[in-house]
Amino acid sequence: MAATESAITETEALPVERVNLNEPKWDQSTYVGRAKHFFTVTNPMNLLLSSKDLDEAKQIVTTYKQGLDLPGVDFEALWRAKYQYDSAFHPDTGEKMFLIGRMSAQVPMNMTITGCMMTFYKTTPAVLFWQWINQSFNAIVNYTNRSGDSPIPVSQLGLSYCLATGGAITTAMSLNSLVKRAPPLVGRLVPFAAVAAANCINIPMMRMREIRCGIPVFDEDGNRIGDSQTAAKLAITQVVFSRVAMASPGMVIPTFIMNKLDKGTFLKRYPWANAPIQVGIVGLFSLAVSSLESELQEEMKKRGLNGDRVYFNKGL
C-alpha cells in the first residue's frame, strides 16, 4: 500500500506538459480548428466582461507565461483566460483596447450599422448619418488595432477616414439620384456600392507605407528574402477584393429578402419591424518569383534560394 501511495504521489508531482498560449487552442490546419478559433476570438459575450474579469485573465496569462504556478486553475480555465485576455488587450502594447474597437464587437456593431444603412438609405440626412457612422466605426477599429511596432500615423488615419467617408457619401448620393426611376431592388443595393467604394479608398490609404516600402516576402522554407512593393500591391488588391466579398452576403442577400417583404403586407402592418429585421438578417498568399522586383530575384540567386514562388502575408 505504501509503495502504491508513493507511486501516486510521484506521478502527481510530475510537471504537467505546458501549453503555448501564443498559439491558438485548436489545430489551425483544419477548417473546424480555424472556425473554433475564429468564433472564440469574436465571441460578443467577451464584451460583457468587467475590468476586474479582464485584469484577472491578464494576471493568469502573465503568470503562466512566466512559468509560475497557478493553484486552482485547470487547462480549461487557462484557455478561457487566454481568449478573454486576447479579446481585450493589444498584442503588441499590452494596453486594454477601446471597447467597440475589439474583435468581439465586430458582430454586433457590423450587424447594427449594416442593417441601418440598408434600412435608412432613401433620404439624404439618413445616408449622410449612417455612412458617416460606418466609416467612423472603421476608423476606430483601425486605430484600436494599429500595429505597435510600426503604428500608422494619426494623420494618415485621419486622411484615410476623411477620404473614405467622402467616397462613401459621394457614391451613395450619386447612385441614389441615378436610381430614382429604377426598381426598388436596385436602390437597396446602393449602400453596398458605397461600402465597396469606401474600401477601395480606405485600405490603400491605410497601407500606403507598404506600397512605398514593400512587405516581407519569404521562400517556401521561411527564409526572408526582402521587402517587395509588388507583393504589397497584390496583397492590398486581394484585401480590397476580400473585404468587398465579405460584405456581399450581409448586404446583398438581405436586400432580396427585404424587397420581397416590401411587396407583402407584413411591413405595411408593422413598419417598425423594418430595421430590426435588416439587422437580424444581416492568410498567407503566394507570388511567382518572376513577378518580383529584379533586385529580389538577384538576392535569391546570390543566396542560392530555389523555388518558383515566394510567400507573403496579405493582411486583413
Side-chain angles (χ1 to χ4, degrees):
M1 178 68 72
T4 302
E5 289 177 352
S6 174
I8 292 174
T9 303
E10 288 177 4
T11 301
E12 290 175 346
L14 290 174
V16 179
E17 182 181 354
R18 298 186 69 80
V19 298
N20 183 4
L21 292 184
N22 293 321
E23 297 293 334
K25 178 181 180 181
W26 298 278
D27 182 6
Q28 297 300 283
S29 65
T30 67
Y31 173 80
V32 173
R34 293 192 297 271
K36 287 181 177 180
H37 172 69
F38 175 79
F39 288 131
T40 306
V41 168
T42 59
N43 182 5
M45 297 303 293
N46 286 330
L47 295 174
L48 303 178
L49 296 171
S50 66
S51 292
K52 180 181 178 182
D53 293 331
L54 294 173
D55 290 338
E56 288 177 354
K58 179 180 181 180
Q59 183 63 36
I60 291 173
V61 172
T62 303
T63 301
Y64 188 82
K65 287 184 176 180
Q66 291 173 346
L68 303 177
D69 293 332
L70 289 167
V73 178
D74 58 19
F75 278 124
E76 284 303 313
L78 179 63
W79 280 113
R80 185 165 57 252
K82 176 257 194 310
Y83 277 103
Q84 290 176 351
Y85 170 78
D86 288 351
S87 75
F89 293 89
H90 195 284
D92 295 332
T93 65
E95 297 176 353
K96 194 177 292 182
M97 295 184 289
F98 187 54
L99 187 69
I100 66 172
R102 301 173 189 173
M103 288 299 102
S104 48
Q106 292 300 295
V107 172
M109 289 299 298
N110 276 307
M111 279 180 60
T112 303
I113 294 173
T114 300
C116 289
M117 279 196 299
M118 296 171 63
T119 301
F120 310 110
Y121 67 94
K122 294 182 179 180
T123 66
T124 298
V127 170
L128 291 172
F129 179 75
W130 285 108
Q131 291 296 337
W132 169 69
I133 287 291
N134 186 45
Q135 294 309 318
S136 297
F137 172 65
N138 289 338
I140 290 172
V141 172
N142 290 333
Y143 180 78
T144 303
N145 295 277
R146 66 197 184 283
S147 170
D149 295 330
S150 54
I152 300 171
V154 176
S155 59
Q156 187 174 339
L157 281 168
L159 179 60
S160 175
Y161 165 64
C162 292
L163 291 177
T165 303
I169 290 174
T170 301
T171 301
M173 298 303 298
S174 300
L175 290 178
N176 270 348
S177 64
L178 291 174
V179 301
K180 284 182 178 179
R181 296 182 181 178
L185 179 63
V186 177
R188 285 186 175 276
L189 290 171
V190 168
F192 172 63
V195 168
N199 277 322
C200 292
I201 298 170
N202 189 33
I203 296 168
M205 282 298 305
M206 289 290 296
R207 299 176 64 173
M208 187 59 67
R209 182 179 178 278
E210 295 178 16
I211 296 175
R212 293 171 181 162
C213 305
I215 59 175
V217 291
F218 306 84
D219 69 1
E220 59 186 11
D221 296 319
N223 299 305
R224 180 169 175 167
I225 300 165
D227 295 330
S228 170
Q229 292 173 304
T230 301
K233 293 172 184 176
L234 177 59
I236 291 169
T237 301
Q238 290 172 341
V239 170
V240 170
F241 178 80
S242 66
R243 289 280 188 92
V244 173
M246 285 190 295
S248 301
M251 298 195 77
V252 174
I253 295 174
T255 295
F256 289 92
I257 296 174
M258 296 306 298
N259 193 62
K260 183 71 174 177
L261 288 175
D262 266 347
K263 295 178 181 178
T265 59
F266 180 80
L267 289 181
K268 293 185 175 80
R269 185 178 301 176
Y270 307 105
W272 55 266
N274 198 325
I277 292 175
Q278 290 269 29
V279 171
I281 298 176
V282 164
L284 290 174
F285 276 70
S286 67
L287 175 69
V289 171
S290 58
S291 299
L292 282 176
E293 292 86 340
S294 57
E295 58 268 25
L296 290 180
Q297 294 184 44
E298 289 299 320
E299 179 66 20
M300 288 189 70
K301 292 179 182 178
K302 289 179 183 177
R303 294 167 57 180
L305 299 176
N306 299 316
D308 298 326
R309 307 192 74 78
V310 293
Y311 300 85
F312 59 92
N313 189 334
K314 71 178 178 62
L316 297 176

